[in-house]
Amino acid sequence: MAGSLNVAARPDWPDSPDGPGHTRGAACASVAPPRRRPRILPVFLPFAGCPTRCVFCAQDVQTGQRGGINSVGHALAVAEARLEHEARLLEAATANGVQEPRDHPAPNTGRAASAHEASPSPLEIAFYGGTFTLLSEAERTACLELAARWRQRGVVCRVRCSTRPDAVTVHSLATLRAAGMDCVELGVQSFDDAALAAASRGYGGALARAACAMVAGAGLELGVQLMPGMPGVTPEVFRADVRTALLPDTDGAAPLTSFLRFYPCLVLRGTPLAERWRAGSYVPWPLDTTVDALAHGLLAAWARGVAVVRMGLSPEDGLDDAVLAGPMHPALGQLAKAEALRRHVAAHLARLPGPPVRLGVPRRLRGLLWGHANGLVAAYAAMGITRDMVHWRDDDTFSLE
Ligand code: SF4
């Protein structure tokens, strides 16, 4: 007897060169192709606009930019040079008839765009690393003017920024939207009052929820950043945070947030959290707890059609040296996605009337199924699934018989 998992290969699962193909097999439902996003050009503004240094935060290390709050002008100059370069690539491609500029031509791999990768295409500028809405008026205007200027030239197609929940107002968001901002990411970290107090965030859960509603209400795409393992955030609190981030959960209503980011809390050198860790008053989550929580969060997000676009910090230069403790792993995202996929298969397996005989998996997830370094082979074997039972499908659907 055949069963169909009816699950799409989610947009934030890794792409393979194959991409989505034709549907094959009568028992399998076809699903939507992965969401495609423009390449991101990150413009890091470490700590710029931040009213305080949060206990866990070392933006200069996390972003690979050791510039501090006076670096906005420098960051914009670097971005300007990069955009000039991109403009030349686009012009050359167009002149050669290689490719017309398109709005959404390249999959978002979650990594910073590189001048050496992908075909030339318009970029999404992302102002990250500080509190964009609390920049000085002059700095914010300079950022927005740069984005608008390059948008007019067709080199930029979207603009996003990150900020804190307590740094937005209806008025400031309306102004941003009018100035060309498309997306605002809120560094919520948690919606739990006790956790927010334990991490000295300076706002409560109600304010964070209201900020999310404000961003979406302003017609901006909303991204929510959560921090499993932040002081006060237990696995149970994180589960509740994910549920809240995916609200509203009324029938037929889409979540306010378009995407999530999960940044497991690390102890970084030079932060107040490092002092707490040394004093024994903060203990980071172990890796297995973190992978378990992330897998749960992924499944919850995917069930609502929400992508999780990043798990863990980007591997910027100097990050390894700065991490004193915490669930750091070079393949953290792969570990969590593979575990989420295994749980999904297990849940559907339980509905089969007998033991499994055949599992169909989208070909583009070939590198994910068995886990990082084949770490899930034994777990699948325990579920009765072995390599010879798996076939790779050319569409985005899983099937289980
Ligand atoms: S507001 Fe955000 S960027 Fe600024 S210090 Fe806090 S966590 Fe870091």
Side-chain angles (χ1 to χ4, degrees):
M1 187 169 177
S4 172
L5 299 186
N6 288 336
V7 60
R10 296 295 177 185
D12 45 344
W13 285 353
D15 293 322
S16 84
D18 304 285
H22 65 280
T23 299
R24 174 176 79 176
C28 307
S30 65
V31 293
R35 183 173 65 160
R36 286 177 177 261
R37 306 289 309 225
R39 294 176 300 149
I40 298 273
L41 170 59
V43 180
F44 291 121
L45 313 170
F47 296 120
C50 295
T52 180
R53 297 286 171 101
C54 298
V55 295
F56 48 78
C57 186
Q59 280 296 334
D60 48 347
V61 173
Q62 291 164 227
T63 61
Q65 314 279 309
R66 296 174 190 271
I69 57 174
N70 297 318
S71 64
V72 174
H74 174 71
L76 293 183
V78 172
E80 191 88 40
R82 168 66 191 278
L83 289 163
E84 289 281 5
H85 176 72
E86 288 287 331
R88 285 194 295 275
L89 291 178
L90 274 170
E91 282 163 13
T94 305
N96 293 334
V98 171
Q99 176 186 1
E100 292 295 328
R102 296 168 291 163
D103 271 353
H104 298 285
N108 178 8
T109 62
R111 291 178 294 118
S114 156
H116 306 294
E117 70 180 13
S119 52
S121 55
L123 296 161
E124 178 167 1
I125 290 191
F127 295 106
Y128 285 155
T131 304
F132 190 80
T133 50
L134 294 185
L135 289 179
S136 73
E137 177 102 32
E139 289 171 332
R140 196 166 54 252
T141 300
C143 292
L144 292 168
E145 281 183 357
L146 174 130
R149 197 158 25 84
W150 286 99
R151 196 171 201 156
Q152 264 188 341
R153 290 183 58 178
V155 180
V156 166
C157 60
R158 275 174 57 89
V159 190
R160 69 169 65 187
C161 70
S162 62
T163 189
R164 293 168 53 100
D166 57 351
V168 297
T169 63
V170 170
H171 175 71
S172 68
L173 291 168
T175 305
L176 272 190
R177 184 77 190 102
M181 189 64 68
D182 298 286
C183 171
V184 169
E185 294 191 30
L186 290 179
V188 168
Q189 319 308 1
S190 176
F191 292 98
D192 184 88
D193 285 338
L196 289 165
S200 310
R201 288 289 289 169
Y203 56 85
L207 185 140
R209 289 191 296 275
C212 291
M214 263 190 254
V215 170
L220 290 152
E221 185 180 21
L222 168 67
V224 171
Q225 302 172 0
L226 296 176
M227 184 169 277
M230 185 179 79
V233 175
T234 61
E236 293 70 32
V237 167
F238 177 65
R239 285 178 182 229
D241 284 339
V242 172
R243 269 199 305 278
T244 303
L246 295 171
L247 289 174
D249 55 8
T250 44
D251 277 353
L256 292 180
T257 187
S258 295
F259 61 90
L260 299 174
R261 289 182 196 269
F262 298 149
Y263 289 116
C265 191
L266 299 173
V267 179
L268 298 176
R269 194 184 305 281
T271 60
L273 196 61
E275 298 310 313
R276 293 193 194 183
W277 171 71
R278 284 194 187 95
S281 59
Y282 172 73
V283 179
W285 283 11
L287 184 63
D288 57 350
T289 303
T290 305
V291 170
D292 177 74
L294 293 177
H296 174 86
L298 279 167
L299 287 171
W302 291 341
R304 301 295 317 280
V306 172
V308 180
V309 298
R310 169 158 278 285
M311 284 171 286
L313 297 176
S314 301
E316 300 294 344
D317 284 352
L319 182 64
D320 281 351
D321 289 344
V323 176
L324 299 176
M328 181 85 170
H329 190 287
L332 183 64
Q334 189 188 14
L335 288 171
K337 288 175 185 177
E339 173 58 16
L341 174 55
R342 189 199 64 77
R343 291 180 192 184
H344 189 85
V345 172
H348 286 267
L349 195 60
R351 298 181 201 160
L352 283 184
V357 293
R358 207 165 137 80
L359 172 66
V361 180
R363 188 181 306 281
R364 71 195 190 89
L365 300 181
R366 203 171 182 151
L368 188 62
L369 181 71
W370 303 112
H372 177 65
N374 290 318
L376 292 179
V377 169
Y380 276 103
M383 291 159 53
I385 294 175
T386 53
R387 285 183 188 277
D388 55 341
M389 292 164 53
V390 172
H391 67 104
W392 306 106
R393 298 174 56 98
D394 289 329
D395 61 13
D396 275 335
T397 307
F398 293 84
S399 59
L400 184 61
E401 301 169 34

